Amino acid sequence: MTGLASMEMALAFWMSIGSCLLCVGYGIWKWNDAGTPDRVTVPVSKAE
Amino acid sequence: MTIKILVSLAYLGVVFFLGYKGWKETQQADDYLLAGRRINPFVMSMSYGATFVSTSAIIGFGGAAGLFGFPLLWLTFLTIFVGIFLAMIGFGKRTRRMGLALNCHTFPEFLGNRYQSRFIRNFAGLIIFLFIPIYAAAVLIGIARMMEVSLGLNYTAAILGITAILAVYVITGGLKAVMYTDAFQGSIMAVMMLILVVYTYSLLGGVTEGHQYLTDMAPLCPKSSRPEACSAGPRGQRSALPCG
């Protein structure tokens, strides 16, 4: 638990680092991935 | 002091260059308000980081971390995972497509067009108009205080000067200038914070040793009539400590 007194704190510590690495890894994996083209129709709610 | 001044001038030089670059690349409303709806991913991520991790995060939450201790890391985890990862992956593309379909340039316009409500548009705009200056003021105060302490400048002159510099490149260069300068500042912040973390832990003898020092400070946690006070901060440094 890297010197932290409780499991909850160690969990928060490692999950913070893990989520940061997840973001970086996902960004590298999907680098400049434009995805599907921008062609959508948006249902617009009734005008007031 | 000479080095500080030279570094500060070099920093301002880069900021002005990036602001000028943003101004040159701004041709129409989409460029000014939305950076042309297309920006390099690295620039966007660093700009997002610099915007989010502002004075309130570094100084404000630094103080909050000193008060509440490691339990504040739950906020960090949720911010990264929910506020960034899930929000960008789950809502990012949809929001972009809706913005394109509705041909909107601002968030109030987006809401107003989506729900066909002038009231929603105006109300959202009013909220932003009223509260963003307050947030910006907090950030500017942080910068001015840093300049006062670091460079010995007069606080009032520092805050007015910084405001003028920001106004010049934001008004002339629009969102492109803002994102380029943010990316530069965000990169500096990321590198320096990484150095700070590594240096702090190395001074303490390592990650485990550093945390153990903090754990050993638990008896210094002030006693309180509220049992839950011992589980947070100094108000206790870690959670789940026995009270009394």
Side-chain angles (χ1 to χ4, degrees), chain A residues 14-34:
Chain A
W14 288 113
M15 284 169 74
S16 295
I17 294 174
S19 57
C20 179
L21 293 174
L22 178 68
C23 287
V24 173
Y26 186 88
I28 292 171
W29 177 38
K30 292 281 191 175
W31 189 263
N32 260 338
D33 182 358

Side-chain angles (χ1 to χ4, degrees), chain B residues 90 94 106 126 193 198 225 228 233 239:
Chain B
R94 288 176 177 82
T106 65
L126 182 66
M193 283 193 285
V198 170
S225 58
E228 63 274 15
S239 71

Side-chain angles (χ1 to χ4, degrees), chain B:
Chain B
M1 178 56 92
T2 308
I3 295 175
K4 281 185 187 177
I5 292 172
L6 288 173
V7 169
S8 299
L9 289 174
Y11 170 84
L12 285 175
V14 174
V15 166
F16 276 122
F17 169 73
L18 292 173
Y20 172 74
K21 177 178 162 60
W23 174 72
K24 286 289 284 184
E25 293 177 5
T26 299
Q27 304 293 331
Q28 50 192 332
D30 267 12
D31 297 329
Y32 190 82
L33 295 167
L34 297 169
R37 297 184 193 269
R38 179 173 293 276
I39 200 86
N40 181 279
F42 178 81
V43 171
M44 177 177 283
S45 60
M46 286 294 115
S47 176
Y48 180 87
T51 302
F52 189 46
V53 185
S54 61
T55 304
S56 66
I58 293 180
I59 298 178
F61 275 100
L67 185 63
F68 294 107
F70 265 85
L72 205 65
L73 274 179
W74 284 111
L75 177 66
T76 306
F77 161 67
L78 290 172
T79 300
I80 297 171
F81 185 68
V82 177
I84 295 173
F85 187 75
L86 292 183
M88 293 294 177
I89 291 174
F91 297 102
K93 229 176 246 186
R94 288 176 177 82
T95 306
R96 173 188 166 80
R97 287 173 181 165
M98 287 173 71
L100 276 171
L102 296 169
N103 191 27
C104 55
H105 299 87
T106 65
F107 188 62
E109 191 181 0
F110 174 87
L111 289 177
N113 289 355
R114 174 64 182 85
Y115 295 104
Q116 289 288 288
S117 168
R118 191 173 295 176
F119 172 76
I120 290 176
R121 185 192 66 193
N122 294 344
F123 184 73
L126 182 66
I127 293 293
I128 291 172
F129 180 76
L130 288 176
F131 290 104
I132 283 294
I134 297 173
Y135 176 78
V139 176
L140 290 171
I141 288 170
I143 299 171
R145 287 297 180 197
M146 186 275 292
M147 292 174 72
E148 183 185 29
V149 169
S150 177
L151 299 174
L153 297 175
N154 174 264
Y155 170 74
T156 305
I159 204 166
L160 289 175
I162 284 293
T163 305
I165 291 170
L166 285 173
V168 164
Y169 76 74
V170 169
I171 292 172
T172 58
L175 190 62
K176 286 203 173 193
V178 169
M179 293 192 84
Y180 289 151
T181 52
D182 273 357
F184 170 59
Q185 292 154 4
S187 303
I188 295 174
M189 284 162 56
V191 170
M192 296 312 294
M193 283 193 285
L194 200 60
I195 292 173
L196 182 65
V197 165
V198 170
Y199 184 65
T200 303
Y201 275 125
S202 68
L203 274 181
L204 293 169
V207 174
T208 303
E209 288 79 3
H211 294 166
Q212 193 58 56
Y213 280 129
L214 214 51
T215 303
D216 294 342
M217 287 170 64
L220 300 177
C221 172
K223 294 177 186 178
S224 169
S225 58
R226 293 183 297 119
E228 63 274 15
C230 281
S231 69
R235 304 187 189 184
Q237 280 295 342
R238 287 140 313 285
S239 71
L241 291 175
C243 295

